Amino acid sequence: DLMRGSIIVLASMVLQTLNMSRVYHYIRGQTMIKLYVLTSMLEILDKLLSSFGQDAFDSLNWRSRTFRLDRFEDYWQTVFSFIVLGTYVVCHSTTYFIHVATLTVAINSNEQALITVLILNNFAEIKGFVFKKFDKTNLFQLACSDITERFQLVLFLTTILVVACVQAGPDWGQTVRDHLFVIFLMYSGECLSDWIKHAFISKFNHIDASVYDDFSRVLRKDILSYQKVKEKGSVLDRTYAITR
């Protein structure tokens, strides 16, 4: 618990050193092509870091549970796991910070070009997934990834809306109306692209739509009954099991 709390403090201190206004104006000054490449890179980097982060958290938790004072190698192994996890959290937090800045530019921009780029970027996923071979296991992993991506989008857009309302002061009502329309477009584009992607994946791979009921049942079971996971004689934190 102390190590996880220290990592939160460390990541918060690093993020406070970043100047939001400089990042905002730098992104705003880029061309549409550069912004399209930037958003694509952020999505790829997010998925790679998320996969690495699960193992990093599991490693540190396992080291802390099996730590023994009489074994010297446990000290440097635990310190090494802590440094790796701290570095990962800082990198992933910075990635999210840039992603939120990009969405802020899209919402506050008078031009609709960046919003179009972000929406079209969602439909680019269709090209990469529809014509691949999928089974139920791979489709379940893809569905979980889309759930996470949509939840993150809701968090980011809500954060941007709250900050905009605070900055607007007494005129927050007009700000909410202006932002909600753009937020609706972005979230609708995300949902529509996911629906089309999963519909054609199910069609081309002859997967019945009832499999999504099984997916939701598995997720509910994991959340409600996944109290402990035994791995190599150690009990991992249940939150890591749900995340995985």
Side-chain angles (χ1 to χ4, degrees), residues 3 60-79 233-234:
M3 287 188 290
L60 181 62
N61 190 72
W62 183 70
R63 294 293 180 189
S64 63
R65 295 296 180 91
T66 60
F67 183 84
R68 290 177 56 181
L69 295 175
D70 57 342
R71 291 191 303 191
F72 177 76
E73 61 272 11
D74 284 0
Y75 286 93
W76 71 266
Q77 289 178 353
T78 304
V79 171
S234 176

Side-chain angles (χ1 to χ4, degrees), residues 9 19 35-36 61 72 87 91 102 105 114 116 140 148 167 170 172 178 190-191 220 236:
V9 173
N19 192 322
L35 289 174
Y36 179 80
N61 190 72
F72 177 76
T87 305
C91 293
T102 305
V105 172
L114 181 54
T116 305
F140 178 60
T148 305
Q167 294 177 345
W172 64 270
D178 295 340
E190 178 73 27
C191 294
R220 288 197 300 269
L236 296 180

Side-chain angles (χ1 to χ4, degrees), residues 46-56 244:
D46 178 30
K47 292 180 180 179
L48 293 176
L49 288 174
S50 296
S51 178
F52 176 79
Q54 293 174 7
D55 295 331
R244 184 174 297 281

Side-chain angles (χ1 to χ4, degrees), residues 15 66-67 70 106 110 115 124 149 165 217:
L15 287 179
T66 60
F67 183 84
D70 57 342
N110 293 327
I115 299 175
E149 186 178 353
C165 291
R217 199 156 41 243

Side-chain angles (χ1 to χ4, degrees), residues 25 66 231:
H25 289 291
T66 60
E231 184 175 329

Side-chain angles (χ1 to χ4, degrees), residues 30-43:
Q30 303 303 309
T31 61
M32 291 299 106
I33 299 298
K34 289 184 178 181
L35 289 174
Y36 179 80
V37 174
L38 177 61
T39 53
S40 300
M41 290 177 59
L42 287 175
E43 290 185 4

